[in-house]
Amino acid sequence: MALSSRLFSRSKLIYGCQILLQKEHAIPVRHFAKESAPPALKGDQMLKNIFVEVKNKFETAIGILKKEKITIDPEDPAAVSHYAKVMKTVREKASLLSESQDILSTIEIETQDIPDARTYLLTLKEIRVKKGLTDDLGAEALMIDALDKIEKDLKKPLLRNDKKGMDLLLAEFDKINKKIGIRKEDLPKYEEELELKVAKAQLEELKKDALEAMETQKKREEFKDEPESVDVKTLDIRNFL
């Protein structure tokens, strides 16, 4: 059990890590709809609901992870694929957001009161930077160029409630999608690629934590008779949950 606190402390088995921006996030510009807020709750009841929800999600996630043998080998495609499937099951059963869903949720929350298209796009860039994501396709610059073109034709700033103007802008975005090779029908494939990248990154972090924990353990007197090193691939995470 010497590794339990290190392996579990960062909750890498439940929560995602920061990742590179994938194609499905390059043009997240169709999320202009606004939803009504849920009815307000009293403070005590709200806290109780949050506690119960978090507790249920946690117990569900741990229950699934205790049943699955996870191999900490980020260089093995089979191990990465299996880990990704396990984490997908955890998210689905515990109602947790995937990486792409989390990003889209953040976008919806932080942009819901923004009236104009330019501030909206600049806010998307801020969100990307805060999350440590990259725009390798150069989509942001292309979107701003498209907005400049539309606003020049309109001779005024483009507001999000301007249906005609927004239709023109979205038509330009469709051209951008085609130019940089983004197709709507390929989004499931991009999502799968994203989840595999996340899974590999999480396994790499788990491996790093395990190696650091074992290195620390070797320096402690009570573990002086333990084997010099243990292959992290042989560790069974279920023993530490």
Side-chain angles (χ1 to χ4, degrees), residues 13-14 56-57 60-61 64 83-99 101 191 195:
L13 298 177
I14 302 176
N56 290 340
K57 290 177 184 293
T60 298
I64 295 171
Y83 179 77
K85 291 178 181 178
V86 171
M87 296 311 298
K88 182 177 181 180
T89 300
V90 168
R91 288 195 302 271
E92 290 175 346
K93 298 295 185 181
S95 298
L96 300 172
L97 296 179
S98 67
E99 294 298 328
Q101 289 170 336
E191 178 76 12
E195 296 304 330

Side-chain angles (χ1 to χ4, degrees), residues 154-218:
L154 294 175
K155 295 182 173 59
K156 63 178 182 179
L158 176 58
L159 300 179
R160 291 170 65 189
N161 62 4
D162 181 346
K163 185 179 185 305
K164 181 178 179 180
M166 289 303 304
D167 286 344
L168 293 173
L169 181 62
L170 293 177
E172 291 295 321
F173 287 161
D174 286 338
K175 294 178 184 178
I176 294 173
N177 287 342
K178 184 176 181 180
K179 179 179 179 179
I180 61 182
I182 295 178
R183 301 191 308 165
K184 184 177 180 180
E185 56 267 32
D186 289 337
L187 292 183
K189 180 183 71 174
Y190 298 145
E191 178 76 12
E192 181 179 354
E193 292 174 354
L194 171 62
E195 296 304 330
L196 287 175
K197 286 181 180 292
V198 171
K200 182 173 182 178
Q202 290 180 347
L203 286 179
E204 288 173 344
E205 190 67 19
L206 280 172
K207 181 178 179 179
K208 177 183 175 182
D209 285 350
L211 291 174
E212 288 179 355
M214 287 189 288
E215 187 65 26
T216 300
Q217 175 179 289
K218 286 193 300 183

Side-chain angles (χ1 to χ4, degrees), residues 24-78:
E24 62 264 44
H25 304 137
I27 313 287
V29 295
R30 295 188 180 275
H31 297 273
F32 288 97
K34 300 181 181 179
E35 298 180 359
S36 59
L41 296 174
K42 292 184 178 180
D44 290 346
Q45 185 60 44
M46 182 183 295
L47 290 175
K48 179 180 178 181
N49 290 350
I50 292 174
F51 175 79
V52 171
E53 181 180 3
V54 171
K55 178 175 178 292
N56 290 340
K57 290 177 184 293
F58 178 81
E59 291 177 347
T60 298
I62 294 299
I64 295 171
L65 293 170
K66 283 184 176 180
K67 297 177 182 178
E68 296 288 345
K69 173 65 170 71
I70 294 173
T71 302
I72 307 178
D73 187 0
E75 303 307 319
D76 180 3

Side-chain angles (χ1 to χ4, degrees), residues 127-140:
I127 293 172
R128 175 182 65 75
V129 172
K130 287 179 181 178
K131 287 184 172 290
L133 310 177
T134 61
D135 177 22
D136 296 328
L137 298 173
E140 287 175 348

